[in-house]
Amino acid sequence: MAPQGEVKVLGAWPSPFVMRPRIALNLKSVEYEFVEENLGNKSELLLKSNPVYKKIPVLIHGDKPVCESLVIVQYIDEAWKDSTSILPSDPYDRAMARFWAAYVDDKIFPTMRGIVAADEGEAKAAAVALFKEGLSLLEEALVKMSKGKKFFGGDEIGYVDIAFGCYISWFKVTNVISNVNLFDESATPHLVAWIHSFSSHPAVKDVMPETDKLLEFFNNVVLPRMRAAAAAK
Amino acid sequence: MGKGDVKLLGLWASPFALRVRFALELKCVDYENLEENFGGGKSELLLKSNPVYKEVPVLLHGDKPICESLIIVQYIDEVWTDGPSILPSDPYDRAIARFWAAYVDDMAYPYMRAIITADGEEAREEAIAKLKESLVVLEDAFVQSSKGKPFFGGDEIGYVDIALGASMEWSKVIEKAFDVKLFDEETTPNLLTWIDAFLAHPAIKDIMPTTDKLFEYAMNFISPPSTKAAATEAY
């Protein structure tokens, strides 16, 4: 049965997780309304649609809410079957894609935050080293999965591209605030090329936050929050 | 790829490995169950098959390793399409099933682990309270998902049943070891009925370790703080 009803995405522009369903919908050429949430004052619709976590993103299709960004991406892939596929068709390739997407959330995101939170000196160096270890695994995965093409998904953006690529602006912000270079040509050449390809993709470029804007958001909103939390401990 | 030659690297006590076994049993897949040895260090095969996490379970299908229990369960569902479906067919129902399975992993399992490995009474009480909260949420999820049938998956065991059900003997061990009730008639009446139905299911009952066996095993590392590391490793 063809998907029924209007599509809304409840989100916030700085959130990497919110980018994921938006990229997926763009890839499928699905029209949707983007509803910007004020996370300091969550809407009734958000609280009603995601009562368990009260978090963004939420996809609302007709009157049905779907929560958790990667669950939403898989839903989009399955509900709009007639367009380009986000997950591969072969079960083993699908398992690999799911594995690396889960790895990104389990390891890459927390270790990136670890760099920002780390004290200068040894602690920061260790945090960067940990992050780069994870990156080298993704470099290998990219080589294996892309089979010489531009993306983890091959010729076209796929599940891992979406799961990982949504963090790119935040990696750039981390480079600036922590004075590091997370992606270097010598260690991760394929990932460096991939960042360019992904960022300029038509389904991505309008939803990826500009680094300057995100940096301002980090300094004005995130950093004070981090400092308050540290002071409270 | 052909369907033959299936091996599972697991641990009899691991709920994650149990998830995979339940899925294989449901689909009537012939497989070789390879038990990792706790004390003797991780096997070469495990380290080679899961270099990223070095953990069980790992499914070996031919020469291809698949890791992470819920990813393996989805793989099994997608390869062995002759048996009963583990995930529903409707995309929205699939999304709901995936949501609740992720909830089990993000909310229920970590608190179970926290209870078992807790350093001190206060930490344990806190983890128990959090787990009970999450079970009340899952009670609600069960009522919505089952629509009056015995399982989250409806008439037959499905994805969420497998995800949560695999830890049900561990929940009994926790109840016995710490003299606490995680499930009760007042807050989780439907889950209580579901647990019995799940544990009695033909694909489950001969594989699930008994409470006694699991309890005896758990006593090797529950409580004394010096074996907290062993507990974290084992669960």
Side-chain angles (χ1 to χ4, degrees):
Chain A
M1 186 177 80
Q4 302 288 313
E6 289 176 356
V7 182
K8 282 188 175 75
V9 173
L10 309 184
W13 69 266
S15 162
F17 306 106
V18 169
M19 274 182 72
R20 292 168 170 178
R22 298 185 78 184
I23 295 169
L25 290 166
N26 288 345
L27 271 174
K28 299 278 191 178
S29 304
V30 174
E31 302 235 335
Y32 67 96
E33 184 192 346
F34 180 62
V35 179
E36 185 83 32
E37 283 285 328
N38 174 356
L39 296 179
N41 184 20
K42 293 176 182 180
S43 72
E44 269 309 301
L45 184 59
L46 174 56
L47 298 175
K48 194 185 77 165
S49 307
N50 191 356
V52 174
Y53 293 115
K54 305 174 176 51
K55 280 184 180 173
I56 45 148
V58 179
L59 180 91
I60 305 178
H61 189 191
D63 56 353
K64 293 182 173 182
V66 183
C67 309
E68 294 296 284
S69 62
L70 292 180
V71 174
I72 299 172
V73 171
Q74 290 186 82
Y75 172 76
I76 291 167
D77 199 29
E78 292 170 4
W80 286 275
K81 268 193 149 61
D82 295 335
S83 320
T84 171
S85 283
I86 294 172
L87 271 152
S89 51
D90 173 73
Y92 183 72
D93 293 339
R94 289 160 74 85
M96 285 302 101
R98 288 178 175 132
F99 177 87
W100 287 112
Y103 179 82
V104 164
D105 278 350
D106 288 343
K107 300 287 178 191
I108 298 295
F109 187 51
T111 55
M112 179 192 79
R113 291 202 306 193
I115 295 171
V116 174
D119 291 329
E120 277 301 326
E122 241 180 75
K124 193 169 100 170
V128 172
L130 194 59
F131 177 85
K132 289 191 167 185
E133 259 176 52
L135 223 55
S136 71
L137 291 179
L138 282 161
E139 170 81 7
E140 256 181 68
L142 176 59
V143 171
K144 202 169 161 198
M145 290 173 72
S146 65
K147 300 189 189 30
K149 305 288 168 73
K150 282 195 287 191
F151 302 111
F152 286 89
D155 276 316
E156 185 51 278
I157 276 180
Y159 193 62
V160 181
D161 298 282
I162 293 175
F164 187 27
C166 66
Y167 291 116
I168 288 171
S169 295
W170 277 105
F171 294 145
K172 293 182 175 179
V173 164
T174 305
N175 277 343
V176 174
I177 60 188
S178 297
N179 195 28
V180 289
N181 179 21
L182 296 180
F183 290 79
D184 78 76
E185 278 280 355
S186 57
T188 53
H190 296 90
L191 284 177
V192 169
W194 169 82
I195 286 175
H196 291 303
S197 303
F198 184 83
S199 305
S200 58
H201 190 287
V204 175
K205 57 185 167 61
D206 294 334
V207 300
M208 184 174 271
E210 287 162 27
T211 312
D212 288 343
K213 205 176 165 200
L214 205 57
L215 190 55
E216 198 187 323
F217 173 79
F218 177 82
N219 285 323
N220 294 341
V221 178
V222 181
L223 196 55
R225 216 189 280 153
M226 280 172 67
R227 288 192 176 135
K233 279 192 190 161
Chain B
M1 171 164 53
K3 295 184 177 170
D5 193 21
V6 181
K7 291 183 175 69
L8 172 65
L9 303 182
L11 285 164
W12 68 268
S14 159
F16 303 104
L18 284 169
R19 287 169 168 179
V20 176
R21 294 192 70 186
F22 295 153
L24 290 167
E25 290 293 319
L26 263 173
K27 299 280 195 175
C28 300
V29 176
D30 274 320
Y31 66 100
E32 195 185 340
N33 192 37
L34 298 173
E35 190 71 17
E36 281 289 310
N37 179 355
F38 265 126
K42 295 176 181 184
S43 72
E44 269 309 302
L45 184 57
L46 176 60
L47 297 175
K48 194 186 79 167
S49 307
N50 191 357
V52 175
Y53 294 114
K54 307 175 178 50
E55 275 171 17
V56 297
V58 179
L59 189 80
L60 292 162
H61 190 190
D63 57 350
K64 293 188 173 182
I66 301 107
C67 309
E68 294 297 283
S69 64
L70 291 180
I71 292 176
I72 302 171
V73 170
Q74 290 186 81
Y75 174 81
I76 291 167
D77 199 31
E78 292 171 5
V79 170
W80 285 277
T81 50
D82 292 343
S85 284
I86 294 173
L87 272 152
S89 50
D90 173 72
Y92 186 71
D93 295 336
R94 290 161 74 83
I96 297 301
R98 287 181 175 129
F99 176 87
W100 287 117
Y103 181 86
V104 168
D105 267 356
D106 291 341
M107 303 298 270
Y109 274 52
Y111 290 129
M112 285 193 192
R113 185 188 271 112
I115 293 168
I116 293 165
T117 61
D119 222 347
E121 206 46 50
E122 207 180 305
R124 183 160 287 137
E125 294 292 318
E126 203 184 306
I128 289 171
K130 290 277 182 190
L131 177 62
K132 288 174 85 164
E133 266 174 42
S134 76
L135 292 175
V136 170
V137 174
L138 284 163
E139 164 81 10
D140 203 45
F142 176 79
V143 171
Q144 282 178 50
S145 300
S146 62
K147 301 187 182 47
K149 303 287 171 75
F151 301 110
F152 283 89
D155 280 314
E156 183 52 274
I157 275 180
Y159 192 59
V160 184
D161 298 282
I162 290 174
L164 180 61
S167 67
M168 285 304 96
E169 283 297 341
W170 270 106
S171 73
K172 292 187 179 195
V173 166
I174 288 171
E175 290 186 328
K176 188 172 170 181
F178 305 112
D179 192 27
V180 62
K181 279 241 150 290
L182 299 176
F183 297 90
D184 62 69
E185 278 295 342
E186 201 183 302
T187 58
T188 56
N190 292 286
L191 284 181
L192 273 175
T193 314
W194 166 78
I195 290 171
D196 289 338
F198 182 82
L199 294 176
H201 190 287
I204 310 301
K205 64 182 171 54
D206 294 330
I207 298 174
M208 185 71 105
T210 61
T211 321
D212 287 343
K213 192 177 173 196
L214 209 49
F215 185 79
E216 194 189 318
Y217 165 76
M219 285 304 106
N220 289 321
F221 54 84
I222 281 186
S223 280
S226 60
T227 54
K228 182 179 170 184
T232 316
E233 181 66 33
Y235 182 80

